Amino acid sequence: MMLLHFFLIVLFHPIHISVTEINYSEKDKALQIVSRIFIDDLELSIKNKLGAESLDLLNPGSGRSTDQLVRTYLQELFKVRLDGKPATIKYIAHEVEDAAIICYLEIEGVKKLKSIEITNRVIQETHADQSNLVHVTYRGPVKSLRLLRDNPTGTLDVGGAR
């Protein structure tokens, strides 16, 4: 089974893609965000941004941590606007799962929402074919966006408060 999983990753990885899920927590009055990005693509993008000759994202050394590097990168390239106003995105943590890094983020203090605008330029400066899929669940069915280099921003009408 592990061998099959490895071959599927190798087979499909030449397609550059990230998947971000944004789910509303009524209890916490927050949008909870989980973003899955291939480690090697993220590492290459951060390395290029830093102008570094090499970078091991999971063990960066030089007094830097993976969380610091990823937080700074995402703050620049992943933005959310709620009802037309910029949202403050809090980086929480990351974990590694197979060939992906999973990033946990949150937008606090969300009581009601009519629209959400997402800009996701992650990896797009490195790979022209990068697709960033975003799935939003807010008091209803999942709504999705596919954000590309030439169209990195999309808006979803998620309705009003119920």
Side-chain angles (χ1 to χ4, degrees):
M1 186 67 173
M2 289 294 282
L3 190 58
L4 175 63
H5 186 73
F6 173 76
F7 284 120
L8 288 175
I9 289 172
V10 171
L11 177 66
F12 289 109
H13 183 51
I15 296 172
H16 299 103
I17 192 165
S18 76
V19 178
T20 299
E21 297 174 32
I22 302 175
N23 294 298
Y24 182 66
S25 169
E26 182 76 44
K27 179 182 141 235
D28 297 326
K29 302 288 186 234
L31 291 173
Q32 298 169 338
I33 304 166
V34 178
S35 190
R36 290 171 175 79
I37 308 165
F38 280 108
I39 295 168
D40 60 339
D41 291 337
L42 184 59
E43 184 175 82
L44 179 60
S45 291
I46 292 173
K47 179 183 82 109
N48 290 344
K49 263 209 183 299
L50 294 173
E53 285 195 32
S54 65
L55 175 68
D56 178 349
L57 184 58
L58 301 180
N59 298 295
S62 301
R64 297 182 282 205
S65 71
T66 301
D67 281 327
Q68 289 170 327
L69 292 170
V70 173
R71 178 186 302 113
T72 300
Y73 181 81
L74 291 177
Q75 283 174 340
E76 183 180 336
L77 298 169
F78 182 79
K79 308 275 187 191
V80 175
R81 295 176 69 84
L82 304 176
D83 296 332
K85 298 177 187 151
T88 301
I89 302 171
K90 178 180 169 187
Y91 177 90
I92 297 170
H94 81 278
E95 67 179 329
V96 174
E97 183 178 282
D98 299 320
I101 187 166
I102 303 171
C103 304
Y104 298 95
L105 312 153
E106 188 171 61
I107 299 171
E108 300 173 321
V110 179
K111 294 182 180 126
K112 62 181 180 175
L113 186 58
K114 292 181 184 172
S115 70
I116 182 169
E117 176 184 287
I118 298 127
T119 299
N120 190 348
R121 291 186 170 94
V122 171
I123 315 297
Q124 291 176 344
E125 76 283 10
T126 303
H127 298 296
D129 64 341
Q130 175 73 20
S131 287
N132 293 321
L133 304 178
V134 181
H135 306 295
V136 178
T137 306
Y138 177 80
R139 297 181 176 168
V142 176
K143 295 186 177 187
S144 299
L145 295 167
R146 180 175 176 224
L147 304 175
L148 305 169
R149 180 186 265 186
D150 58 350
N151 190 19
T153 301
T155 302
L156 293 171
D157 177 11
V158 292
R162 288 186 186 174

